[in-house]
Amino acid sequence: LMLQPSVVATKVVCLTQVVTPDELKDDDDYEDILEDMRTECGKFGTLVNIVIPRPLPSGEMGPGVGKVFLEYADVESATKARQGLNGRKFGGNQVVAVFYPENKFSQGEW
Amino acid sequence: NSGTGGRKRKSRWADDEPKPVIQLPDFMKDFTGGIEFDPEIQALNSRLLEISRKLQSGMLLDDRPEGARSPSPEPIYDNMGVRINTREYRAREKLNRERQEIISQIIKKNPAFKPPADYRPPKLQK
């Protein structure tokens, strides 16, 4: 029942409880969120990739909706980002930042 | 000139407000990832890695030259007449003891630490 603790540092940081499906459906909102993430999260190091899963056009919730994945060039940047972002507020939501397994990320397992 | 670029928009990120300091109980520390940054634990971990590498590498554990060594203890033989406490054996035992000791210390600092399978907790002494 215990959640797997994400104590192992990786290059990928996952922000949970960040965005709502409604904002993601709207293209403008989505672009804004992407830009905000790029700006703020780029302060910790080189961002290689940002993935923000969106709901399917049918309205169906795909996997990972509500999460934001940040892939950094190195573990040090990701570590700084995890520490710096955890507990910050984004759009009024308190962000929880955890490391995410690199292999799962690269396989698109959200 | 609408759309991209010069659009002034407030970021959704709240200003860098001081983070609420939440003191987590000790047993939670393992889940927050905070404990691995403890310099003492880091030092213990790196020594543990070093020892484990040495033990597994098969390299000569005591490579001090003849002159730099202190006198050997009296030999101990097994019932086949083979010496047990060779220099290599003693060096290996010494590293093993240090390894067990380090693991005990890490566990003391981080009860959630999962020791390697061959770790045996020290016997409690009366």
mmCIF file of all heavy atoms in Angstrom, chain A residues 40-70:
data_model
loop_
_atom_site.group_PDB
_atom_site.id
_atom_site.type_symbol
_atom_site.label_atom_id
_atom_site.label_comp_id
_atom_site.label_asym_id
_atom_site.label_seq_id
_atom_site.Cartn_x
_atom_site.Cartn_y
_atom_site.Cartn_z
ATOM 1 N N GLU A 40 9.983 29.490 -15.528
ATOM 2 C CA GLU A 40 10.303 29.306 -14.107
ATOM 3 C C GLU A 40 11.229 28.101 -13.912
ATOM 4 O O GLU A 40 12.200 28.177 -13.161
ATOM 5 C CB GLU A 40 9.005 29.111 -13.319
ATOM 6 C CG GLU A 40 9.176 29.205 -11.816
ATOM 7 C CD GLU A 40 9.592 30.596 -11.373
ATOM 8 O OE1 GLU A 40 9.266 31.572 -12.084
ATOM 9 O OE2 GLU A 40 10.255 30.703 -10.317
ATOM 10 N N CYS A 41 10.940 27.026 -14.590
ATOM 11 C CA CYS A 41 11.695 25.795 -14.359
ATOM 12 C C CYS A 41 13.057 25.843 -15.045
ATOM 13 O O CYS A 41 13.966 25.102 -14.688
ATOM 14 C CB CYS A 41 10.899 24.590 -14.843
ATOM 15 S SG CYS A 41 9.270 24.529 -14.084
ATOM 16 N N GLY A 42 13.192 26.731 -16.037
ATOM 17 C CA GLY A 42 14.477 26.876 -16.703
ATOM 18 C C GLY A 42 15.507 27.553 -15.823
ATOM 19 O O GLY A 42 16.700 27.557 -16.123
ATOM 20 N N LYS A 43 15.048 28.126 -14.701
ATOM 21 C CA LYS A 43 15.983 28.815 -13.806
ATOM 22 C C LYS A 43 16.902 27.844 -13.071
ATOM 23 O O LYS A 43 17.931 28.232 -12.541
ATOM 24 C CB LYS A 43 15.202 29.637 -12.765
ATOM 25 C CG LYS A 43 14.463 30.824 -13.361
ATOM 26 C CD LYS A 43 13.649 31.554 -12.311
ATOM 27 C CE LYS A 43 12.841 32.695 -12.922
ATOM 28 N NZ LYS A 43 11.896 33.273 -11.947
ATOM 29 N N PHE A 44 16.516 26.588 -13.021
ATOM 30 C CA PHE A 44 17.298 25.621 -12.235
ATOM 31 C C PHE A 44 18.370 24.924 -13.063
ATOM 32 O O PHE A 44 19.215 24.234 -12.527
ATOM 33 C CB PHE A 44 16.359 24.574 -11.624
ATOM 34 C CG PHE A 44 15.344 25.175 -10.702
ATOM 35 C CD1 PHE A 44 14.047 25.402 -11.131
ATOM 36 C CD2 PHE A 44 15.696 25.539 -9.415
ATOM 37 C CE1 PHE A 44 13.116 25.964 -10.286
ATOM 38 C CE2 PHE A 44 14.768 26.110 -8.568
ATOM 39 C CZ PHE A 44 13.476 26.327 -8.999
ATOM 40 N N GLY A 45 18.296 25.095 -14.384
ATOM 41 C CA GLY A 45 19.270 24.423 -15.240
ATOM 42 C C GLY A 45 18.689 24.259 -16.627
ATOM 43 O O GLY A 45 17.615 24.770 -16.921
ATOM 44 N N THR A 46 19.425 23.529 -17.459
ATOM 45 C CA THR A 46 18.975 23.369 -18.838
ATOM 46 C C THR A 46 17.805 22.392 -18.920
ATOM 47 O O THR A 46 17.939 21.228 -18.556
ATOM 48 C CB THR A 46 20.125 22.838 -19.708
ATOM 49 O OG1 THR A 46 21.267 23.651 -19.478
ATOM 50 C CG2 THR A 46 19.755 22.887 -21.175
ATOM 51 N N LEU A 47 16.689 22.898 -19.396
ATOM 52 C CA LEU A 47 15.520 22.052 -19.591
ATOM 53 C C LEU A 47 15.613 21.415 -20.972
ATOM 54 O O LEU A 47 15.769 22.098 -21.973
ATOM 55 C CB LEU A 47 14.256 22.899 -19.516
ATOM 56 C CG LEU A 47 13.475 22.926 -18.210
ATOM 57 C CD1 LEU A 47 12.332 23.907 -18.320
ATOM 58 C CD2 LEU A 47 12.955 21.556 -17.869
ATOM 59 N N VAL A 48 15.526 20.101 -21.001
ATOM 60 C CA VAL A 48 15.603 19.401 -22.284
ATOM 61 C C VAL A 48 14.211 19.241 -22.887
ATOM 62 O O VAL A 48 14.007 19.324 -24.089
ATOM 63 C CB VAL A 48 16.245 18.010 -22.091
ATOM 64 C CG1 VAL A 48 16.329 17.276 -23.405
ATOM 65 C CG2 VAL A 48 17.626 18.165 -21.483
ATOM 66 N N ASN A 49 13.253 19.023 -22.019
ATOM 67 C CA ASN A 49 11.917 18.698 -22.507
ATOM 68 C C ASN A 49 10.878 18.996 -21.424
ATOM 69 O O ASN A 49 11.148 18.818 -20.237
ATOM 70 C CB ASN A 49 11.866 17.217 -22.887
ATOM 71 C CG ASN A 49 10.678 16.872 -23.750
ATOM 72 O OD1 ASN A 49 9.920 17.767 -24.164
ATOM 73 N ND2 ASN A 49 10.499 15.596 -24.023
ATOM 74 N N ILE A 50 9.722 19.475 -21.853
ATOM 75 C CA ILE A 50 8.591 19.622 -20.939
ATOM 76 C C ILE A 50 7.429 18.849 -21.529
ATOM 77 O O ILE A 50 7.125 18.997 -22.711
ATOM 78 C CB ILE A 50 8.158 21.092 -20.789
ATOM 79 C CG1 ILE A 50 9.309 21.953 -20.277
ATOM 80 C CG2 ILE A 50 6.973 21.201 -19.830
ATOM 81 C CD1 ILE A 50 8.898 23.394 -20.031
ATOM 82 N N VAL A 51 6.826 18.011 -20.722
ATOM 83 C CA VAL A 51 5.642 17.296 -21.190
ATOM 84 C C VAL A 51 4.498 17.575 -20.236
ATOM 85 O O VAL A 51 4.611 17.380 -19.025
ATOM 86 C CB VAL A 51 5.897 15.772 -21.275
ATOM 87 C CG1 VAL A 51 4.602 15.052 -21.661
ATOM 88 C CG2 VAL A 51 6.975 15.466 -22.293
ATOM 89 N N ILE A 52 3.407 18.104 -20.785
ATOM 90 C CA ILE A 52 2.200 18.323 -19.987
ATOM 91 C C ILE A 52 1.068 17.549 -20.670
ATOM 92 O O ILE A 52 0.501 18.017 -21.651
ATOM 93 C CB ILE A 52 1.840 19.822 -19.906
ATOM 94 C CG1 ILE A 52 3.048 20.636 -19.421
ATOM 95 C CG2 ILE A 52 0.657 20.030 -18.961
ATOM 96 C CD1 ILE A 52 2.806 22.131 -19.336
ATOM 97 N N PRO A 53 0.787 16.358 -20.162
ATOM 98 C CA PRO A 53 -0.257 15.551 -20.794
ATOM 99 C C PRO A 53 -1.602 16.286 -20.785
ATOM 100 O O PRO A 53 -1.956 16.912 -19.788
ATOM 101 C CB PRO A 53 -0.301 14.292 -19.925
ATOM 102 C CG PRO A 53 1.025 14.231 -19.247
ATOM 103 C CD PRO A 53 1.420 15.660 -19.028
ATOM 104 N N ARG A 54 -2.310 16.224 -21.922
ATOM 105 C CA ARG A 54 -3.609 16.887 -22.025
ATOM 106 C C ARG A 54 -4.716 15.847 -22.130
ATOM 107 O O ARG A 54 -4.477 14.720 -22.577
ATOM 108 C CB ARG A 54 -3.640 17.774 -23.277
ATOM 109 C CG ARG A 54 -2.643 18.896 -23.239
ATOM 110 C CD ARG A 54 -2.717 19.740 -24.501
ATOM 111 N NE ARG A 54 -3.851 20.665 -24.483
ATOM 112 C CZ ARG A 54 -4.101 21.550 -25.462
ATOM 113 N NH1 ARG A 54 -3.326 21.586 -26.528
ATOM 114 N NH2 ARG A 54 -5.135 22.363 -25.382
ATOM 115 N N PRO A 55 -5.930 16.247 -21.754
ATOM 116 C CA PRO A 55 -7.054 15.314 -21.936
ATOM 117 C C PRO A 55 -7.257 15.060 -23.427
ATOM 118 O O PRO A 55 -6.925 15.908 -24.253
ATOM 119 C CB PRO A 55 -8.254 16.085 -21.367
ATOM 120 C CG PRO A 55 -7.699 17.246 -20.627
ATOM 121 C CD PRO A 55 -6.351 17.536 -21.190
ATOM 122 N N LEU A 56 -7.777 13.897 -23.779
ATOM 123 C CA LEU A 56 -8.033 13.602 -25.184
ATOM 124 C C LEU A 56 -9.171 14.499 -25.685
ATOM 125 O O LEU A 56 -9.971 14.982 -24.893
ATOM 126 C CB LEU A 56 -8.424 12.121 -25.321
ATOM 127 C CG LEU A 56 -7.393 11.132 -24.741
ATOM 128 C CD1 LEU A 56 -7.931 9.713 -24.791
ATOM 129 C CD2 LEU A 56 -6.076 11.227 -25.496
ATOM 130 N N PRO A 57 -9.196 14.729 -27.012
ATOM 131 C CA PRO A 57 -10.248 15.603 -27.566
ATOM 132 C C PRO A 57 -11.651 15.130 -27.163
ATOM 133 O O PRO A 57 -12.568 15.944 -27.017
ATOM 134 C CB PRO A 57 -10.050 15.457 -29.086
ATOM 135 C CG PRO A 57 -8.634 15.041 -29.250
ATOM 136 C CD PRO A 57 -8.283 14.226 -28.043
ATOM 137 N N SER A 58 -11.790 13.850 -26.966
ATOM 138 C CA SER A 58 -13.096 13.317 -26.564
ATOM 139 C C SER A 58 -13.470 13.733 -25.148
ATOM 140 O O SER A 58 -14.596 13.535 -24.709
ATOM 141 C CB SER A 58 -13.059 11.790 -26.640
ATOM 142 O OG SER A 58 -12.080 11.295 -25.744
ATOM 143 N N GLY A 59 -12.519 14.340 -24.463
ATOM 144 C CA GLY A 59 -12.777 14.716 -23.079
ATOM 145 C C GLY A 59 -12.297 13.650 -22.115
ATOM 146 O O GLY A 59 -12.286 13.846 -20.902
ATOM 147 N N GLU A 60 -11.871 12.532 -22.683
ATOM 148 C CA GLU A 60 -11.413 11.439 -21.834
ATOM 149 C C GLU A 60 -10.069 11.806 -21.201
ATOM 150 O O GLU A 60 -9.220 12.426 -21.848
ATOM 151 C CB GLU A 60 -11.236 10.198 -22.715
ATOM 152 C CG GLU A 60 -11.241 8.902 -21.949
ATOM 153 C CD GLU A 60 -10.856 7.741 -22.882
ATOM 154 O OE1 GLU A 60 -11.353 7.713 -24.022
ATOM 155 O OE2 GLU A 60 -10.046 6.921 -22.467
ATOM 156 N N MET A 61 -9.909 11.420 -19.949
ATOM 157 C CA MET A 61 -8.663 11.717 -19.265
ATOM 158 C C MET A 61 -7.599 10.702 -19.669
ATOM 159 O O MET A 61 -7.731 9.519 -19.388
ATOM 160 C CB MET A 61 -8.851 11.630 -17.746
ATOM 161 C CG MET A 61 -9.744 12.708 -17.170
ATOM 162 S SD MET A 61 -9.093 14.342 -17.499
ATOM 163 C CE MET A 61 -10.543 15.099 -18.191
ATOM 164 N N GLY A 62 -6.572 11.178 -20.329
ATOM 165 C CA GLY A 62 -5.461 10.286 -20.626
ATOM 166 C C GLY A 62 -4.641 10.110 -19.366
ATOM 167 O O GLY A 62 -4.894 10.757 -18.352
ATOM 168 N N PRO A 63 -3.635 9.229 -19.413
ATOM 169 C CA PRO A 63 -2.773 9.073 -18.242
ATOM 170 C C PRO A 63 -1.945 10.336 -18.010
ATOM 171 O O PRO A 63 -1.571 11.022 -18.964
ATOM 172 C CB PRO A 63 -1.876 7.896 -18.626
ATOM 173 C CG PRO A 63 -1.911 7.853 -20.122
ATOM 174 C CD PRO A 63 -3.254 8.375 -20.522
ATOM 175 N N GLY A 64 -1.726 10.657 -16.775
ATOM 176 C CA GLY A 64 -0.815 11.763 -16.449
ATOM 177 C C GLY A 64 -1.436 13.140 -16.535
ATOM 178 O O GLY A 64 -0.736 14.130 -16.357
ATOM 179 N N VAL A 65 -2.729 13.252 -16.800
ATOM 180 C CA VAL A 65 -3.351 14.574 -16.854
ATOM 181 C C VAL A 65 -3.331 15.191 -15.449
ATOM 182 O O VAL A 65 -3.732 14.550 -14.480
ATOM 183 C CB VAL A 65 -4.798 14.495 -17.378
ATOM 184 C CG1 VAL A 65 -5.487 15.853 -17.249
ATOM 185 C CG2 VAL A 65 -4.803 14.060 -18.835
ATOM 186 N N GLY A 66 -2.842 16.412 -15.388
ATOM 187 C CA GLY A 66 -2.703 17.070 -14.086
ATOM 188 C C GLY A 66 -1.254 17.124 -13.648
ATOM 189 O O GLY A 66 -0.902 17.832 -12.716
ATOM 190 N N LYS A 67 -0.413 16.361 -14.357
ATOM 191 C CA LYS A 67 1.017 16.359 -14.014
ATOM 192 C C LYS A 67 1.810 17.156 -15.046
ATOM 193 O O LYS A 67 1.366 17.340 -16.175
ATOM 194 C CB LYS A 67 1.563 14.930 -13.995
ATOM 195 C CG LYS A 67 0.979 14.055 -12.912
ATOM 196 C CD LYS A 67 1.616 12.697 -12.979
ATOM 197 C CE LYS A 67 0.981 11.743 -11.963
ATOM 198 N NZ LYS A 67 1.481 10.374 -12.157
ATOM 199 N N VAL A 68 2.975 17.580 -14.615
ATOM 200 C CA VAL A 68 3.895 18.252 -15.527
ATOM 201 C C VAL A 68 5.241 17.555 -15.396
ATOM 202 O O VAL A 68 5.739 17.357 -14.287
ATOM 203 C CB VAL A 68 4.047 19.747 -15.172
ATOM 204 C CG1 VAL A 68 5.149 20.390 -15.993
ATOM 205 C CG2 VAL A 68 2.725 20.484 -15.390
ATOM 206 N N PHE A 69 5.820 17.158 -16.518
ATOM 207 C CA PHE A 69 7.111 16.477 -16.494
ATOM 208 C C PHE A 69 8.198 17.406 -17.026
ATOM 209 O O PHE A 69 8.058 17.986 -18.098
ATOM 210 C CB PHE A 69 7.070 15.203 -17.337
ATOM 211 C CG PHE A 69 6.137 14.173 -16.793
ATOM 212 C CD1 PHE A 69 4.818 14.119 -17.229
ATOM 213 C CD2 PHE A 69 6.563 13.282 -15.825
ATOM 214 C CE1 PHE A 69 3.941 13.174 -16.718
ATOM 215 C CE2 PHE A 69 5.693 12.335 -15.298
ATOM 216 C CZ PHE A 69 4.378 12.284 -15.745
ATOM 217 N N LEU A 70 9.246 17.517 -16.252
ATOM 218 C CA LEU A 70 10.363 18.373 -16.639
ATOM 219 C C LEU A 70 11.596 17.494 -16.792
ATOM 220 O O LEU A 70 12.013 16.844 -15.836
ATOM 221 C CB LEU A 70 10.625 19.420 -15.548
ATOM 222 C CG LEU A 70 9.402 20.202 -15.057
ATOM 223 C CD1 LEU A 70 9.708 20.857 -13.727
ATOM 224 C CD2 LEU A 70 8.997 21.236 -16.091
#
